[in-house]
Amino acid sequence: MSLSPGAPEFADSHLIELLDGFGLAVKYVRAEGDTLYHDDGAGGEIGVLDLASGFGSLILGHHNPEIVAHAKQLLDEQVPVHAQFSGYSFGIDVAAALNRILRRELGTEEKFYGLFGNSGAEAVEIAIKHAEMDRGMKVAELLDGIEANLATAAEAVAGGAAPSAAALAALGVDTFDALAEEVRRRNAVTAARQPLFLALEGGFHGKLVSSIQLTYNADFRTPFKALAAQARFVPADRVDLAAKIVEEERVALLDVEVRAGAVELVERDFPVFAAFFAEPIMGEAGIKPLTADTARKLREVCDAVGVPLVADEIQSGMGRSGSFLASVHSGLRPDYVVLAKSLGGGIVKTGVVLVRESRYRKEFELLHTSTFGKDGFSSRVALKVLEMLEADDGAAYRRAAERGARARSAIEAVVAEFPDVLLEVRGQGLMLGVQFHDQSGSADELFREWSEHHVFAFALAGYLLHEKRIRIFSTASNPNTLRFEPSIFITDEQIDAFAAALRDVAQVVRDQDSAKLAR
């Protein structure tokens, strides 16, 4: 069997080398449903069960016939792809459809505004930008209020009032004019501070300039820390610690009030933080759903700090969890919802941020635009995807829940059989993760080496691909967890095939037979 890696000299060579080392550098030539086909080197094809599924992008499978037919029809009809600044776009229809769904899922009558981009990471960037614009406008409102108060104080001083001795001493000045100048100077310094964001430890929100700052994995984030506003990370099981973090970063603006004929200094809390980002199911952390307690505390923290709660549903949304939004399982009540991946039906690139009307800044849409953000083609494909998911009173969501339960039961049986090898299975619906025990203390030298370099799962994946014709990968920040994210059309036979393959590879690990994996 030949697995051709293609032309690595023209690709990401280091990644290709890593994949090739574990037999994962494969040239796939065709895809259908939950199956990818690679060249067998003799003019034929070999099919493999694809459980990576575009890392959650294929809720309806590869090349879903209904979506493909719709896309072909759009192209045959020569529908406008680009008609910017016409006053209308099909993105408006997508936003309207998503509004109906979100209002139902979140139990609210409030309207959501849609802001479109080309991918999940770009949608996160849009959310970051909108949150920062909102914060900046709040800062401007605070500074305008302080200017008005300084003007009022100046009138009072002209009429015989005077700064208090405490106010003058606090700023090291001896006149009201000097006091006002120092207030403005200090406030200008404070207002120039970079914003901060809150995010959960283990979270993943993309790898673009700003979104990477919210991604917890230091290997991804650290090389680019100097490029954008930073995040403070909060343990998912100790969200109450956010209050301590907020207090550590607390900064105040100076203001004045006239009381009983004296001008007094007062402090106004400066909005340091712009938003709190959280995944309802933490994908790259190892497929870990938020608990109801965590969701409640997230809402409480955001309300106390006055920042929007952003639900990153890029991987967990679009029905994968058994409901359109994974947020509903924990009762998470976000102000922003970020969607992408399966929104494009597996064939187009699109992402969107939905912002509650009470949080939305209409000025934003004049400052942020994107050539392909809501083009006519991707928008109408997204509309078709939403139509299919919502058909028959949400039959797709029920199927995701049922298929997920069937898969979980099969995986749990293997976990019960190999408790010394497999730690647990986690997740919701068709977003599941099965975690292997750490092998860094293994008696097998190669097992230890793979574990130390965080590539043990690559060895497992290579074995499963070659020996069992199953394609699966680990989660980025929890390298001992394999992700199970197929389409809703996965069959009993395919689920059982994965369970059998998992049982086989667990036996290899139990036997500490690295040679079998390595070859």
Side-chain angles (χ1 to χ4, degrees):
M1 179 173 65
S2 173
L3 299 181
S4 172
E9 65 269 30
F10 300 114
D12 300 321
S13 59
H14 186 63
L15 177 60
I16 291 292
E17 288 172 5
L18 175 63
L19 294 174
D20 193 44
F22 292 98
L24 296 169
V26 177
K27 183 179 180 181
Y28 292 103
V29 296
R30 191 165 65 88
E32 179 183 14
D34 282 295
T35 305
L36 274 168
Y37 297 87
H38 62 76
D39 187 348
D40 68 356
E45 295 176 343
I46 294 176
V48 300
L49 174 60
D50 182 17
L51 299 180
S53 192
F55 302 114
S57 300
L58 300 169
I59 189 68
L60 298 173
H62 288 280
H63 291 129
N64 182 281
E66 196 171 343
I67 297 174
V68 170
H70 181 68
K72 287 180 177 179
Q73 180 182 344
L74 294 175
L75 295 175
D76 288 342
E77 293 176 355
Q78 298 183 317
V79 298
V81 176
H82 297 291
Q84 291 91 341
F85 276 74
S86 62
Y88 177 81
S89 76
F90 285 100
I92 294 174
D93 297 329
V94 178
L98 287 169
N99 257 275
R100 291 190 290 271
I101 297 170
L102 261 63
R103 288 175 177 179
R104 179 194 71 219
E105 296 273 303
L106 299 176
T108 179
E109 294 299 317
E110 189 170 0
K111 181 165 63 175
F112 288 79
Y113 284 84
L115 302 166
F116 289 81
N118 301 289
S119 67
E122 186 178 338
V124 170
E125 297 269 325
I126 293 169
I128 289 170
K129 284 180 63 178
H130 185 276
E132 169 54 9
M133 182 175 184
D134 179 48
R135 189 194 73 91
M137 293 178 77
K138 290 176 180 175
V139 171
E141 291 164 6
L142 276 169
L143 293 175
D144 286 346
I146 291 169
E147 276 300 318
N149 290 341
L150 285 170
T152 298
E155 291 178 5
V157 169
S164 71
L168 294 173
L171 300 185
V173 298
D174 54 12
T175 67
F176 172 76
D177 288 344
L179 179 146
E181 182 180 348
E182 183 64 10
V183 164
R184 292 188 179 101
R185 187 192 69 79
R186 294 193 185 193
N187 284 348
V189 172
T190 299
R193 278 179 55 117
Q194 273 205 325
L196 290 173
F197 291 84
L198 291 164
L200 293 179
E201 290 184 359
F204 182 93
H205 300 285
K207 294 181 179 178
L208 296 182
V209 171
S210 295
S211 58
I212 193 66
Q213 312 303 333
L214 306 174
T215 293
Y216 183 68
N217 190 316
D219 292 340
F220 298 149
R221 173 171 44 86
T222 302
F224 312 105
K225 282 191 69 173
L227 293 180
Q230 301 298 298
R232 292 292 307 271
F233 294 98
V234 183
D237 59 350
R238 288 295 311 277
V239 176
D240 54 294
L241 293 178
K244 181 175 182 290
I245 292 171
V246 170
E247 184 58 32
E248 289 173 353
E249 300 289 350
R250 182 179 179 274
V251 179
L253 292 169
L254 294 178
D255 198 356
V256 295
E257 290 180 356
V258 180
R259 303 175 190 160
V263 178
E264 302 287 357
L265 278 179
V266 294
E267 291 186 346
R268 309 289 183 203
D269 276 347
F270 178 75
V272 174
F273 291 93
F276 200 143
F277 281 74
E279 300 164 275
I281 301 176
M282 300 179 70
E284 303 309 324
I287 318 295
K288 297 180 178 180
L290 297 186
T291 66
D293 184 60
T294 295
R296 176 180 57 79
K297 289 177 179 176
L298 282 168
R299 185 69 267 169
E300 290 173 354
V301 167
C302 289
D303 290 343
V305 180
V307 298
L309 174 55
V310 183
D312 182 340
E313 291 261 12
I314 292 168
Q315 192 172 169
S316 62
M318 301 297 301
R320 180 160 293 283
S321 70
S323 59
F324 185 83
L325 295 179
S327 294
V328 304
H329 299 294
S330 62
L332 191 69
R333 294 186 294 109
D335 301 298
Y336 299 13
V337 175
V338 187
L339 297 167
K341 289 192 182 287
S342 286
L343 182 62
I347 62 171
V348 300
K349 301 172 183 177
T350 187
V352 64
V353 183
L354 287 304
V355 183
R356 284 184 186 269
E357 185 173 25
S358 58
R359 286 281 184 180
Y360 187 63
R361 296 285 189 172
K362 292 186 177 181
E363 297 87 346
F364 185 81
E365 58 197 83
L366 299 176
L367 300 178
H368 179 89
T369 57
S370 172
T371 300
F372 287 92
K374 52 181 176 181
D375 69 81
F377 182 64
S378 64
S379 294
R380 293 183 72 174
V381 169
L383 280 169
K384 181 63 177 178
V385 172
L386 295 174
E387 174 191 310
M388 292 172 66
L389 292 177
E390 289 285 297
D392 189 20
D393 195 28
Y397 312 137
R398 296 193 294 276
R399 183 171 178 83
E402 184 275 325
R403 293 286 79 194
R406 172 69 167 77
R408 185 172 191 137
S409 176
I411 296 169
E412 284 176 340
V414 183
V415 173
E417 189 177 342
F418 293 88
D420 54 323
V421 175
L422 299 172
L423 178 64
E424 63 178 339
V425 58
R426 299 180 296 267
Q428 194 84 40
L430 286 172
M431 188 172 175
L432 299 175
V434 55
Q435 183 169 341
F436 283 71
H437 285 292
D438 178 54
Q439 295 295 317
S440 58
S442 170
D444 186 290
E445 182 179 356
L446 197 50
F447 275 22
R448 291 198 308 273
E449 182 180 337
W450 286 337
S451 295
E452 288 170 7
H453 291 89
H454 308 295
V455 293
F456 179 70
F458 281 73
L460 300 178
Y463 176 83
L464 290 170
L465 178 64
H466 285 266
E467 298 298 325
K468 304 299 177 181
R469 296 185 181 179
I470 290 175
R471 184 173 187 259
I472 195 167
F473 292 108
S474 64
T475 56
S477 297
N478 191 328
N480 291 323
T481 297
L482 297 179
R483 66 173 87 220
F484 178 92
E485 296 183 278
S487 81
I488 60 173
F489 301 112
I490 190 167
T491 65
D492 284 348
E493 291 75 18
Q494 289 170 324
I495 291 172
D496 291 340
F498 173 63
L502 182 63
R503 182 174 288 104
D504 182 82
V505 78
Q507 186 64 56
V508 173
V509 176
R510 175 179 280 175
D511 294 341
Q512 297 286 279
D513 189 357
S514 62
K516 190 170 185 178
L517 291 186
R519 71 172 175 262

